Amino acid sequence: MASITIRNLDEPLKARLRVQAAIHGRSMEDEARDILRTALNREHGQPTNLVAAIRARFAPLGGVDLPDVPRDAMREPPDFGV
């Protein structure tokens, strides 16, 4: 079984870990092990298309009606005399 040491852990974070471990009736080490196991065992879905992800995020807010912008005909390309 491998072991790791976590240095420079913030005191408030360590206190929260201690409290959470006490709530679950475990040691701090066992609580940290369970947190790591839970976080790393999550299944990540397939990467989504960026456009689809943005659309899904903003779809519940409703659509936007943009006015039609009148367009002029394309101009003639410049003649460089070649």
Side-chain angles (χ1 to χ4, degrees), residues 28-46:
M28 287 177 50
E29 183 178 345
D30 195 31
E31 187 68 23
R33 195 178 304 116
D34 187 60
I35 291 169
L36 284 170
R37 187 180 305 114
T38 301
L40 296 176
N41 282 335
R42 290 188 188 140
E43 291 294 324
H44 295 290
Q46 295 293 327

Side-chain angles (χ1 to χ4, degrees), residues 58-78:
F58 289 100
L61 300 176
V64 176
D65 292 327
L66 298 175
D68 288 333
V69 178
R71 305 276 181 184
D72 295 331
M74 287 183 61
R75 63 182 181 170
E76 291 294 321

